[in-house]
């Protein structure tokens, strides 16, 4: 398994940007980096994914290091609804995701 | 459009019994995956079905099984329940499970408690 390291928890003030880091030093050259989040009492929700280039969508931005050994999920303006556990998933075997322990994000009003 | 529907939402069973959980994927999605989530082990992959065939299986005992029907709906079955099977069981669907640009959509899960 590609080893993933994420902070156990982070805090952010509402309406401020949040940078969620992830180290995945053993990622293979062809694996996409996926980010999912899980709100309380819900299943995981797709956030964003990328391979080499930085990616943007309506939810977030994904910054991928040039050597692909780390990535950062960027929430541009945190809202209370963004309080969740964020999972960085740098490896999948076919259609099987390896979820780590993720980062629990607390958004402070 | 309707999301991934899992039934029932909550279930209480006794040790030794068996249980069947159901998952209806998003219309048009042909791939269905199942995950088990526990506080100790986190999210762990159980198996994935595509066009009624199991394509991939996680490291779980044979008591855990599943199937997929022609309409892509899927069921998973756990026989001879143990206390450690208490968990949130999540189902995820995608168009084909291979092209990552499609992503996966998860249901809200079935909370199984074994007593």
């Amino acid at each position: 398994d590609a080893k993933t390291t994420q902070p156990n928890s982070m805090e952010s003030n509402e309406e401020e940007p949040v940078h969620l880091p992830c180290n995945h030093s053993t990622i293979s050259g062809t694996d996409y980096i996926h980010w999912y989040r899980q709100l309380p009492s819900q299943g995981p929700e797709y956030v964003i994914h990328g391979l080499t280039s930085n990616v943007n969508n309506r939810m977030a931005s994904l910054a991928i290091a040039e050597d692909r050994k780390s990535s950062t999920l960027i929430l541009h303006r945190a809202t209370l609804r963004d309080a969740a556990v964020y999972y960085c998933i740098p490896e999948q075997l076919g259609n099987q995701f390896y979820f780590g322990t993720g980062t629990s994000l607390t958004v402070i009003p | 459009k309707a999301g991934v529907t899992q039934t029932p939402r909550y279930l209480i069973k006794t040790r030794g019994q068996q249980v069947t959980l159901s998952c209806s994927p998003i219309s048009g999605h042909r791939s269905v995956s199942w995950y088990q989530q526990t506080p100790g082990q986190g999210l762990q992959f159980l198996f994935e079905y595509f066009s009624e065939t199991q394509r991939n299986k996680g490291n779980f005992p044979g008591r855990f099984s599943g199937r997929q029907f022609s309409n892509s709906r899927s069921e998973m079955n756990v026989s001879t329940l143990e206390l450690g099977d208490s968990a949130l069981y999540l189902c995820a669907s995608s168009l084909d499970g291979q092209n990552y640009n499609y992503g996966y959509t998860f249901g809200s899960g079935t909370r199984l408690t074994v007593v």
Side-chain angles (χ1 to χ4, degrees), chain B:
Chain B
K1 60 181 180 181
V4 177
T5 304
Q6 291 190 247
T7 57
R9 285 283 280 131
Y10 301 93
L11 205 49
I12 300 176
K13 288 287 189 179
T14 304
R15 268 184 306 175
Q17 286 186 313
Q18 74 164 12
V19 67
T20 299
L21 311 180
S22 178
C23 172
S24 293
I26 289 173
S27 177
H29 284 194
R30 298 168 63 192
S31 167
V32 174
S33 299
W34 289 88
Y35 286 81
Q36 180 197 64
Q37 186 172 28
T38 60
Q41 299 296 319
L43 278 151
Q44 292 187 290
F45 174 81
L46 281 157
F47 28 65
E48 187 253 0
Y49 286 86
F50 179 78
S51 292
E52 303 178 65
T53 301
Q54 186 182 89
R55 285 199 300 196
N56 201 359
K57 188 176 191 304
N59 189 27
F60 278 82
R63 299 185 297 107
F64 292 82
S65 63
R67 61 176 174 169
Q68 186 180 34
F69 301 95
S70 59
N71 62 358
S72 295
R73 189 178 71 84
S74 178
E75 290 181 346
M76 69 162 282
N77 183 277
V78 188
S79 63
T80 320
L81 283 166
E82 301 176 359
L83 295 179
D85 297 333
S86 295
L88 179 66
Y89 290 88
L90 291 155
C91 162
S93 78
S94 73
L95 272 169
D96 65 3
Q98 299 286 8
N99 185 333
Y100 305 122
N101 285 316
Y102 296 139
Y104 288 85
T105 302
F106 282 79
S108 296
T110 294
R111 173 75 61 184
L112 171 66
T113 302
V114 182
V115 297

Side-chain angles (χ1 to χ4, degrees), chain A residues 28-43:
Chain A
S28 76
T30 56
D31 280 336
Y32 280 80
I33 300 159
H34 298 253
W35 283 81
Y36 279 72
R37 70 181 185 182
Q38 188 171 20
L39 280 65
S41 302
Q42 295 187 26

